[in-house]
Amino acid sequence: MSNFNFIQMADPQVGMYSRFSGMDIEATALLREHKLNVKDAPKIEGLDQERINLSKALEQFEEITPAFVVVCGDMVDQAGDEDQIALIRETLGKYGVNIPVHWVAGNHDIGVNNLIPNRDSVDFYRSEFGDDFYSFNHDESKFIVLNSVLLDRPEDLPDEHKLQMELLGDTLLSRESLDSEHVVVFMHHPLFLNNAEEADADFAWAPSPPNQLPGYWTVPLERRRPVVKLLRDAEVQTVFAGHWHRNHIASDGGLEVVVTSALGYPLGDDPSGYRVVSVSDDDLSHRFRVL
Ligand SMILES: [Fe+2]
């Protein structure tokens, strides 16, 4: 009999409050044109705001007593930044000594220039955070973590992309998965924002950030399709994601993509927060909790 909670969060993105503060009027206006809700704020130096957010979250987790925590990517703003990684280690990393914390790779953790993973960036990520695609079990349920940055831009690592797809296929179609009460997937990029067959073009309500190609917020259709097929064949119902820094739920033919606002700097109207997911034998429900 299963009856437990877990936490799903995304984008603590340590360092972003500093980068997104103290901007000039033009830079702010450009970001707002792209529907990025940048706040007018004097320059924030250092990582204090992220430290506050992370401590608040950990305090709140004391009452929730989650079975585990999944961090859906963008732990840091700048891949490889020692201070940013150190703050994640001191907070979520320490919490993980007692309660399992499962990391998911985000574009800011594993992408060169926040976009394209290569051999060095993936090896560095693995040395800091462990595997980037893997699965784990809790009670009778199965949880699968994907590296969506590799799905987004696999050009420098085609073999890793192939390996990840094989692992996803094997894991989903294993007897163990088929017998699981729930099979849940976590990734950084939302698989889609509206429907599974949407093109890699921007919605008016979700344009890509300045200087990015259309489709920045999701997994490109070419590599989304095979993933969706595998998930549908295995009757997976829920994919949790982040990357968009606001809450959003899209559902297509029984496959739900749940996007959770940032634990760090929010880019929409939703405040910073995380999701509490409640799992029982025949139900999986979730609610967003404001920090
Ligand atoms: Fe991201």
Side-chain angles (χ1 to χ4, degrees):
M1 268 233 341
S2 286
N3 200 347
F4 63 94
N5 289 332
F6 69 87
I7 301 289
Q8 183 257 343
M9 67 159 81
D11 304 278
Q13 206 159 331
V14 174
M16 188 171 171
Y17 276 95
S18 175
R19 185 164 62 90
F20 267 59
S21 59
M23 286 181 177
D24 60 38
I25 292 171
E26 288 79 23
T28 309
L30 180 64
L31 289 166
R32 285 183 187 152
E33 260 173 45
H34 287 253
K35 302 273 193 287
L36 299 169
N37 186 8
V38 186
K39 290 90 196 155
D40 294 310
K43 181 70 182 168
I44 296 171
E45 302 290 351
L47 309 175
D48 284 353
Q49 188 57 53
E50 284 91 348
R51 197 184 304 278
I52 291 167
N53 288 17
L54 283 157
S55 322
K56 255 194 207 168
L58 292 178
E59 252 175 61
Q60 294 179 1
F61 296 174
E62 295 295 321
E63 306 152 24
I64 299 167
T65 58
F68 56 87
V69 176
V70 183
V71 188
C72 272
D74 285 356
M75 279 72 85
V76 297
D77 191 49
Q78 183 57 53
D81 184 287
E82 284 178 14
D83 293 342
Q84 296 177 8
I85 291 175
L87 181 52
I88 284 291
R89 290 225 165 291
E90 285 161 23
T91 50
L92 284 166
K94 271 199 187 144
Y95 187 75
V97 172
N98 295 314
I99 307 287
V101 172
H102 301 281
W103 309 107
V104 182
N107 54 307
H108 285 264
D109 304 306
I110 206 168
V112 175
N113 295 327
N114 305 327
L115 276 182
I116 306 173
N118 69 13
R119 186 71 272 150
D120 286 349
S121 71
V122 168
D123 288 347
F124 177 78
Y125 175 89
R126 288 176 182 167
S127 72
E128 291 289 335
F129 294 102
D131 284 345
D132 48 320
F133 45 91
Y134 59 99
S135 64
F136 62 94
N137 298 323
H138 189 85
D139 279 3
E140 302 301 314
S141 294
K142 175 143 234 110
F143 301 90
I144 301 174
V145 169
L146 293 181
N147 177 351
S148 64
V149 194
L150 209 47
L151 290 172
D152 185 36
R153 301 297 294 269
E155 54 260 50
D156 287 351
L157 294 169
D159 292 350
E160 291 282 354
H161 171 59
K162 201 166 153 253
L163 209 62
Q164 173 165 247
M165 291 305 293
E166 282 166 9
L167 175 120
L168 178 63
D170 291 350
T171 307
L172 284 173
L173 301 175
S174 69
R175 193 67 252 160
E176 193 191 50
S177 283
L178 295 173
D179 289 343
S180 296
E181 281 174 358
H182 304 278
V183 181
V184 177
V185 174
F186 303 98
M187 55 205 293
H188 179 61
H189 294 72
L191 256 184
F192 51 84
L193 281 182
N194 200 6
N195 69 75
E197 281 293 308
E198 74 200 20
D200 307 330
D202 287 346
F203 296 107
W205 47 273
S208 295
N211 309 317
Q212 299 289 352
L213 295 171
Y216 174 85
W217 295 120
T218 57
V219 172
L221 183 59
E222 182 191 347
R223 286 177 293 283
R224 184 194 316 143
R225 266 192 188 133
V227 174
V228 168
K229 171 146 187 12
L230 287 170
L231 300 188
R232 285 203 197 287
D233 288 351
E235 296 180 3
V236 172
Q237 292 174 347
T238 316
V239 179
F240 288 101
H243 188 48
W244 208 35
H245 292 237
R246 65 201 92 183
N247 287 322
H248 178 72
I249 296 180
S251 189
D252 184 343
L255 180 62
E256 191 169 72
V257 173
V258 179
V259 186
T260 299
S261 183
L263 190 88
Y265 194 101
L267 288 171
D269 295 331
D270 305 298
S272 305
Y274 55 88
R275 212 168 276 280
V276 183
V277 186
S278 305
V279 182
S280 62
D281 293 352
D282 48 11
D283 191 46
L284 183 146
S285 59
H286 48 84
R287 68 186 170 88
F288 180 70
R289 179 156 177 190
V290 175
L291 212 55

